[in-house]
Amino acid sequence: MTQFLFSCKEAGKKSPLSHFLHGGNRTLRDRRADGIRNEDISNFSRGELMNMEPSSTEGGAEETLLKNHPPSLPHKVILKHGQELEEEQEELAEHQPLEQEDLNFERWKRRPLPERTLHQKIVDIKTYLWNAETKEFMGRSGKSWSLILLFYTALYVFLAAMFGGCMFCLMWSISPYHPTFNDRVMPPGMTMSPHLEGHEIAFNASDRKSWKKYARSMDEYLRPYNDGPQEKKNIRCTQDRYFMQDDLEESTERKACQFKRSWLGDCSGLQDPHYGYSQGRPCILLRMNRILGYLPGQGKPINVTCGVKKGPPEALGEIQFFPKSLFDLKYYPYYGKLRHVNYSAPVVAVRFAGVQYDTHIQVQCKLNGKGIINDSPTDRYLGSVTFSLDVGA
C-alpha cells in the first residue's frame, strides 16, 4: 500500500484510493466538492481495494486501477457530481428558515433617488433631444422616425380617401334641389319682427332711444321687399291659386311672385319711417315659415288672428292688418334656394292702433287653416307666436 501511494505521489496524480485514504480527516462536504459520492467510495473500497495483493510489484496496483478506470473518467465523474451537489445545496438553502434579520422588511424598501440638479435635468433633456453617441432624435433613430412617418402618412391618406369616398357617395345619392324624404314634414311655424330681446316689445313713445332699435330692425327686415328689386326680379301674379311649376326640369330656375313693400301701408315705413312707434301705435311683421314643396291650407288661404293671451282684453284696442290678414296661395309652393332664387315670402303686417299705455299684456298671433296646428303645448312657435307688449306714454 505504501508503495502504491508513493508511486501515485511520484506520478503527480491523485488516484481514487488516495482520495479515500486521505479523506478521513475531511468532512463529507469537502468530499462532495471533489465530486466523489460515498457510494462511489464504498464501491471502490470493496471491489478494487480487496483485489490488490501485497506482493504486487511497485506500481502494479496503480496500473490495475488505471486499467479498470481510465484517467479521464474520474474527472468527468467529479464534474458531473459536483454540479449535482451544487444544485442540491442551492435547493437546501432555499428551504432553510429565514433568520430574524431577513424578516426586517425595512431594509428591502426602495431607497429614494437622490434629487437631481437643474444642470443634470438640462443635460438629460439635451441628450433626449439629440443623442450624439447613438445618433437618435427624441429617443428614435432616423430609420425609426422614417417608418413612423410612413405609417401615419399611409394611415391618414387612407382615412381621407375613405371620408372622401363616403362624401362622394352621399352627394351622389341625394338631390341638391329637394329632400329625399319629406313625408313627415311638420306644419309651418310663424316668426315675427322685430325680434331683439326675446319676444318682448317695451318702449315709451316720447323716448326716441327706447324704440329706435325696433324701427331699425323693421328697416333691415323689409329691405328685400323694396318695390324696385321686386319689379325687376319677380313677376306680378294675379291668380288666387297655387303657382305650380313642377313641369319644368329639376335644375330650371323657378319664377317668383312679387311682394312689394308699399303694399304694407302704414307699416311699410315709407309714409311713417318710425313704423308707428313714435305715436304709441307699433307695427310688427308676421311671416309663415318656408317649407319646400308645402301647400298650406289645402286649397284655401291661411288667415292670421291676434288677441290677448294674458292681461285685460280691452287693453289691446284696434288691430289693423296689411295688406290683409291672409297668406295668398300664389306664393306657394316653395322650390328651395337653388331654384327659387328670388323668392320673397309673403308678410302680414299688424298694427296695434289702440293699445293702452302703461299696461303690460301678452299677445298671441295664430295661423288658422286646414292642416295648421296652433295650440301645441310643447312648441310655442308651431302655428303661432306669443310676445309681450308694454307701451308707455
Side-chain angles (χ1 to χ4, degrees):
M1 180 67 66
T2 304
Q3 293 177 356
F4 169 73
L5 293 177
F6 179 75
S7 62
C8 290
K9 190 173 182 180
E10 287 180 352
K13 300 179 181 178
K14 291 184 179 180
S15 66
L17 183 59
S18 64
H19 279 283
F20 172 73
L21 295 177
H22 293 281
N25 296 328
R26 303 175 66 188
T27 61
L28 178 61
R29 182 177 180 181
D30 295 333
R31 280 180 286 169
R32 284 183 176 180
D34 292 338
I36 301 178
R37 295 182 300 177
N38 293 336
E39 181 180 354
D40 299 329
I41 298 172
S42 61
N43 293 334
F44 172 75
S45 59
R46 292 175 183 175
E48 302 298 333
L49 186 60
M50 294 298 296
N51 293 331
M52 295 174 58
E53 297 180 359
S55 60
S56 300
T57 58
E58 184 177 353
E62 185 175 358
E63 291 178 359
T64 304
L65 290 174
L66 292 177
K67 183 178 181 180
N68 295 332
H69 298 277
S72 60
L73 181 61
H75 182 66
K76 293 182 180 180
V77 173
I78 290 173
L79 292 179
K80 179 179 179 181
H81 295 294
Q83 182 177 0
E84 292 180 356
L85 290 176
E86 288 180 0
E87 293 177 358
E88 292 178 1
Q89 290 176 2
E90 291 177 358
E91 292 178 0
L92 292 175
E94 291 178 357
H95 293 82
Q96 290 180 358
L98 295 175
E99 299 180 359
Q100 185 64 28
E101 62 179 9
D102 294 333
L103 297 177
N104 185 12
F105 296 104
E106 295 294 333
R107 60 183 294 188
W108 302 106
K109 287 185 177 180
R110 180 179 294 180
R111 296 180 181 179
L113 297 176
E115 186 177 356
R116 302 178 64 82
T117 62
L118 179 61
H119 178 71
Q120 291 176 336
K121 294 179 180 179
I122 294 175
V123 171
D124 291 343
I125 294 174
K126 291 181 178 179
T127 304
Y128 170 73
L129 293 177
W130 174 249
N131 193 332
E133 297 179 357
T134 59
K135 305 297 182 182
E136 293 180 350
F137 174 70
M138 298 182 68
R140 293 183 179 275
S141 62
K143 181 180 179 181
S144 177
W145 280 113
S146 301
L147 293 176
I148 290 176
L149 293 177
L150 180 62
F151 169 77
Y152 281 105
T153 300
L155 174 64
Y156 287 115
V157 167
F158 170 76
L159 294 178
M162 183 175 63
F163 177 77
C166 292
M167 292 300 298
F168 174 79
C169 294
L170 177 64
M171 300 305 296
W172 175 76
S173 61
I174 62 176
S175 173
Y177 301 105
H178 60 83
T180 304
F181 303 102
N182 58 355
D183 54 340
R184 296 181 61 86
V185 176
M186 294 293 293
M190 189 165 59
T191 58
M192 64 168 289
S193 179
H195 178 66
L196 300 176
E197 300 173 355
H199 291 81
E200 181 179 2
I201 299 176
F203 64 96
N204 294 324
S206 59
D207 186 4
R208 179 182 176 86
K209 293 182 179 180
S210 64
W211 52 261
K212 186 177 181 181
K213 55 185 177 182
Y214 300 117
R216 186 183 299 109
S217 177
M218 297 282 283
D219 282 334
E220 294 176 357
Y221 190 87
L222 291 175
R223 186 173 292 112
Y225 294 92
N226 289 333
D227 292 2
Q230 288 293 322
E231 293 177 355
K232 182 178 180 181
K233 297 179 180 180
N234 298 334
I235 63 174
R236 185 175 183 86
C237 302
T238 58
Q239 73 276 11
D240 293 333
R241 61 181 183 273
Y242 298 123
F243 190 13
M244 305 299 297
Q245 304 177 66
D246 295 337
D247 55 341
L248 302 176
E249 294 183 2
E250 186 179 42
S251 59
T252 303
E253 183 178 343
R254 268 56 174 178
K255 296 180 180 180
C257 296
Q258 294 179 2
F259 190 93
K260 296 181 179 181
R261 181 175 180 175
S262 59
W263 297 350
L264 300 178
D266 294 339
C267 292
S268 63
L270 300 177
Q271 293 85 7
D272 181 10
H274 303 153
Y275 300 93
Y277 285 88
S278 61
Q279 304 172 9
R281 296 183 294 177
C283 291
I284 64 170
L285 302 174
L286 301 177
R287 188 182 70 175
M288 188 166 58
N289 291 346
R290 295 176 294 184
I291 300 177
L292 195 146
Y294 180 69
L295 300 175
Q298 300 179 5
K300 294 183 178 180
I302 302 296
N303 72 311
V304 180
T305 57
C306 295
V308 178
K309 184 178 182 180
K310 186 177 181 181
E314 65 277 2
L316 190 58
E318 181 186 2
I319 303 176
Q320 299 174 348
F321 296 92
F322 302 96
K324 51 187 176 181
S325 62
L326 298 175
F327 290 100
D328 290 331
L329 300 179
K330 60 185 177 182
Y331 296 101
Y332 305 97
Y334 172 61
Y335 289 96
K337 291 183 178 181
L338 294 179
R339 293 183 293 180
H340 238 154
V341 179
N342 299 318
Y343 178 80
S344 298
V347 175
V348 173
V350 183
R351 185 181 187 186
F352 303 101
V355 63
Q356 293 182 3
Y357 290 166
D358 302 326
T359 304
H360 183 79
I361 56 176
Q362 196 172 44
V363 183
Q364 184 180 42
C365 295
K366 297 181 179 180
L367 295 174
N368 303 282
K370 292 184 178 180
I372 299 297
I373 299 176
N374 55 22
D375 55 354
S376 175
T378 58
D379 190 354
R380 63 177 182 175
Y381 301 109
L382 186 60
S384 66
V385 62
T386 304
F387 61 94
S388 61
L389 182 61
D390 189 358
V391 180

